[in-house]
Every structure is written in structure tokens, then in C-alpha cells.
Amino acid sequence: MRTRFAPSPTGYLHIGGVRTALFNWLLARRHGGQFILRIDDTDDSRNRADAVKPIIDGFAWLGMTWDEGPTPDASGESTGPHAPYFQGQRNDQYEAAAMRLLAEGKAYPDYTTPEQQAAARKQADLARKPYVHRGTNRDTAAEENVRQYTAAPAPLLLKVELGQSVKFDDAVKGKQDISTDTIRDPMLLRGPDASGLCRAVYNFATVVDDSDFDITHVVRAIEHLSNTPTQILMYQALGATPPTFGHIPLVNYNGNKMSKRNLPPLSNDEIAKFKTCGWTDDEIKGREDLNIATVAYYREIGYLPEALINYLCRLGWSMDGESEFIPLDTLIANFSLERVTDAPGNYDAKKLFWLQGEYMKLIPPAEKLERCLPFLRRAKLIDDAPSDDVRAKLLRVIEASGDRIKLFSDVLAFAAPLLKDEIEYDPKAREKAFKDPAAKELLREFAEVLGTCEPFDASSTDKALHDFAAAKGIKPNALVTPVRIAVTGSGVGFGLFDTLAILGKEASRKRIAVTLAAV
RNA sequence: GGCCCCAUCGUCUAGAGGCCUAGGACACAGCCCUUUCAAGGCUGGGACCGGAGUUCGAAUCUCCGUGGGGUCACCA
């Protein structure tokens, strides 16, 4: 089994595309086949490397490896027995295939002018009939067409045999049967451009490539379903066997297409989050691809690729009636086109976030630390090479944070108050906690008690606080919040006694003193 | 408009004529636990688009509506 994914180089990797690629990849992996990555850049744009890199980087991050395709450095080189894997570098093959069809009388040049075509289309519209284009030299003999084409290149069209039907069994949609009378003579090669080059049209390039690459299964978005009969006709003309097709439903957002237009701009929370990650306003604005439809967004904000993969695969496919958390090896062992759903699905950020949390619970603290490091560096909370002391402190923060760290970037919120020397107060929380003047006095007295804790660890400070509260006849919680705010500036965070222990006696008491002076 | 695809809780889905008083998950609400925030436990509300037909029996099959989507390019 050989499957493929063929993105056009747009400069970012869209998660809808990733899902399509994932289905192909899973199929190949399950059946011990190959997954091929091909870049559909038939317009041969100049900045190809820039536009391809995000796609390649995205797949690399996701761990979706390809057996043949562009080299990982995005240089425009390819690896694999059918190289190159860039359509922009393959026009010779398309031309050769087209010339063969021309010589065999299966294709012909079309000298219809755009004006003639527009008029014919209009007439059909008026008659409320579908317009099915057939070109001028359709019934001209092959040799004559070759002669005319050589003398005056023009769009080359495939001659569709009338009165036939194209039948195929879609692996997702089931049996299809289309009359050739409704299929226009499709273009194979465009007319010559300014430099005289006749570039292949997408449909034809795809067929030539998929046939050359021995692709056996083409899983793609349902919007291509109506292209399929045309492509099958091309396969037949080329004397090739069409692959098995599987057309999968779309991924929508709130019932609409997941295009940039319909997507919400980054929320204030998200922008704030990126800023705490060390991004500047300009950097955020400069990243056109920073939205929930791209892989880059999830990588930058600290998602786990396995969570994204699990989520995307479950969107439009199910293993059974209840499995939601499905690790990759299970996905590979069970994925099949039969269980792809018929209806389009809606992207649900909350469910992805939940899965992310589930996957995060599985990451051991030491590994979590390693993967948090880049975020801490970017936020300038640590040096490029943090000392062992800092690493040890961070590990304690991560252990104390537990499941609270859902995204790797969340580490910043927990580590920053303990790493920075200055306390950044949440004004509202501080005001509320010290509204009652008695709170300040209690805090002052408790700071003295803390000074006697030995050793200064979570259990000793815990006991000290509870004993102190009991002696004073107050609820422990009446003291916990003021202390928390005094040492971290924030009303929320992981366990207070862990916080104190990580800070140490000196720093804890010093921070309380600073706060006392400030309120 | 022609042709094609689709239709189960807010969302993702299970459902192949009786297992359906329609199951699970996310989200939501309430309660419990608790040191705030998470996590965890328990409980709850919540759906077969409408109408005909076939059948002893329909979420499931057929038809008609309705609603959504796709496609009709020298875009990919």
C-alpha cells in the first residue's frame, strides 16, 4: 500500500490538511506501506523554500514521517525512487504524457477563444442547461492534431468518450456512477505562457504523479469527489489503473469552513499568554500563521503533538463507541476508512485541550522540565544554560504543579513568581486579602513563627500554620491566602507549603516583610 | 441554477430493523473532597430535521420536503 499527501506550499500547515495527511499516514503505517509527501507547486513560485519549510517542520514536529518526498531541510531537493517530488520540477513528465495522448488521438488542442467559450457558457445558462465544454479539434485526426499543435500550441484537452459511465467504489462514500456526457473534456496542459511553457493543470499533474509513484490509495477531502471521474478517465487514457479513492468530510469551525476569514483573531488571553512567553507585540502581529487552524499555533503555545494527532484523528473517525483517548500505536493498529464518518465535523478547541491534559499527565516531571525549558528561555526567565540549582528548583516547581501544567507554556505562570526577585502583585487579590487590618497583624506574627520552623519544609510549615491558626482561633484559610499573596503576589498557584519550601526560609520571610511594608 | 455529498444531545460520536426508556466523551450545572487554582469522585439537564411510506416493529430501509456543504477555472 502506498499513500500520499500533496499540499500546495502556502507557508503554513493547516490542521484540516494534517487530518487528511494523518489518515493517509495511518493507513500506510498500519499496512506496512509507504507514505509519500509531494509538494503541489505547479505554479513554481520563487519563494518555494520559505513556503515549504513550515509544512515540513510541521510534519516533523508531529512525528509524521514520510518515506519519499522533499528532504527535511526544505531545500527543494527530494529523496526517493521517483524524485523529484515537487510538481514544479516535473513538468517534463506531464508534457511527455500529454504528448503521448495527443499522438494516440486521446487528446487534442483546443482553439476555442475565451470569448467563444464565455458565449457558449452564457447560452447554456440561459437554456438552464449545464455547460459541458468540448473543444474545436475534438474530431480531428491524431496526425493532424499533432501537426497543428506543433505549429500552434494551445490548451490540450482530453477527449472524453460520450455515452459511457464512470464507475468507482469510494472507500468512504460508496459506489459512484457518473455519465461521461456530463464531464467536460478536461484540460491537460495549459496554453503556452509568456515564455512558451505549457504547464500541466492540477488534475492531470496529480494523475500522472499518482500513477508514476504507484499510489494505491488516495484519501483526500470530499471537495475532490467531483474531480474523481475526470481523473479516472485520465488514468484510463494513460493505460494506468486508478487507485482506490476515499473522500473524507471536511473539518468545519462553527459550521463554517475553517478558513482564516471565519476564524477568530487571537483572544486577549492568548495574546497575553504569548507575551508572557516572551513574544513582543510585533512578533505576534508578524506571525500571520498564528491561529487555531495551523500546526504552528499549537507548537508555539506548548501543545503535545500526540494530543493534536489523537484529536484530529477522532474528528471524523471513531474506533468504537467510547474510546476518546487513543494512543498512536492503537491508532495505527486500528485505523480504517470504513469507520470514517459521512458528515462534516466541527473543530472543538475544548476537547483538544482536554486531550492535551490527558497526554500531559503521562509525561514524567524530568521530561516535562526538558520540554518546558525552551519556553522558560524565550521568556528570559532562565539563561540558555541554567545552573543545576535552577534546574533543581524548576523540577520542584514542576512536581508541585502536577496536573496544573496543561500546556508547556503554563510553566511560566508557576515558575515566574518563584524565579523573579520582584513580587508582581495581583492588585485585586492583594486588596481583598488585606482588606481586614487584622490580616496584616496575623501575617506579621506568622512570619515570626516561620522563622522557628526547622527543617523548613512543606510539612513543618503546614503544621506551623495550622497550629498557629488554632491558637489564634481562626480558620487556617484566613491565613493561607495572605501568605500566598505575600510570597507570590498571586491568589492562585500550587500548594502554599510547597511554595514556601521551594522558596526557602530566608526568601519566604523576606517576601513577607516586603509585602507587609507595601500594604 | 445543474450535478454531487450530508443530516443523532451545544460539540465529537456509538448505532448495519427489535439489544434504544438512544450509549460514551467534551462542554455545561450542582454536590463532595480541598488551602486558592488544577486534578479527582458523584449527580443532573440535554438529541434521532419534518412528513409520508414499507414492516408485527424504523434512529436504522424508500420517497418527498427542509436545511447545510461541495463542485461547475488556463486555482490547487
Side-chain angles (χ1 to χ4, degrees), chain A residues 93-330:
Chain A
Q93 340 247 359
Y94 310 142
E95 256 191 307
M99 289 310 115
R100 221 175 72 223
L101 295 179
L102 175 65
E104 290 170 0
K106 293 172 179 168
Y108 63 90
D110 179 20
Y111 295 102
T112 311
T113 65
E115 294 74 30
Q116 286 172 324
Q117 212 174 129
R121 192 181 299 275
K122 197 172 174 188
Q123 203 168 37
D125 277 355
L126 254 36
R128 291 204 294 157
K129 291 231 175 172
Y131 176 65
V132 183
H133 183 72
R134 319 247 94 117
T136 54
N137 290 34
R138 195 181 143 83
D139 296 318
T140 309
E143 303 79 49
E144 175 60 13
N145 273 337
V146 171
R147 201 187 60 72
Q148 286 193 32
Y149 186 78
T150 311
L156 204 64
L157 268 45
L158 183 75
K159 182 174 176 179
V160 172
E161 297 291 340
L162 303 184
Q164 316 258 312
S165 75
V166 181
K167 293 190 176 79
F168 67 100
D169 193 2
D170 191 276
V172 176
K173 293 293 165 195
K175 292 204 188 319
Q176 311 286 320
D177 187 347
I178 294 91
S179 162
T180 54
D181 294 354
T182 67
I183 302 174
R184 63 157 285 173
D185 285 356
M187 192 176 290
L188 270 23
L189 256 34
R190 288 174 242 251
D193 64 14
S195 64
L197 180 71
C198 294
R199 285 163 37 230
V201 151
Y202 163 77
N203 262 325
F204 187 56
T206 294
V207 169
V208 171
D209 286 344
D210 285 342
S211 168
D212 277 359
F213 295 174
D214 296 320
I215 302 300
T216 62
H217 296 255
V218 171
V219 179
R220 49 163 42 160
I222 187 133
E223 60 197 278
H224 293 286
L225 184 60
S226 52
N227 280 335
T228 306
T230 298
Q231 292 189 183
I232 287 176
L233 256 17
M234 291 178 180
Y235 276 99
Q236 289 170 350
L238 290 167
T241 311
T244 299
F245 291 98
H247 289 92
I248 61 174
L250 261 55
V251 177
N252 288 146
Y253 180 74
N254 289 161
N256 295 307
K257 214 172 166 190
M258 206 168 179
S259 61
K260 192 153 189 197
R261 214 189 106 76
N262 293 323
L263 259 24
L266 287 182
S267 68
N268 289 337
D269 282 354
E270 285 168 313
I271 291 172
K273 179 112 200 175
F274 279 114
K275 280 186 173 176
T276 58
C277 285
W279 294 58
T280 64
D281 279 314
D282 286 344
E283 281 172 329
I284 296 170
K285 279 195 199 108
R287 285 288 295 270
E288 287 269 319
D289 61 341
L290 227 48
N291 64 67
I292 58 167
T294 72
V295 170
Y297 170 89
Y298 297 95
R299 186 183 53 214
E300 301 287 12
I301 209 159
Y303 271 83
L304 248 9
E306 44 268 55
L308 225 205
I309 285 182
N310 188 156
Y311 176 72
L312 254 16
C313 188
R314 255 302 269 114
L315 181 53
W317 176 83
S318 68
M319 191 165 86
D320 50 47
E322 47 196 73
S323 303
E324 300 289 346
F325 179 90
I326 314 174
L328 187 57
D329 52 353
T330 310

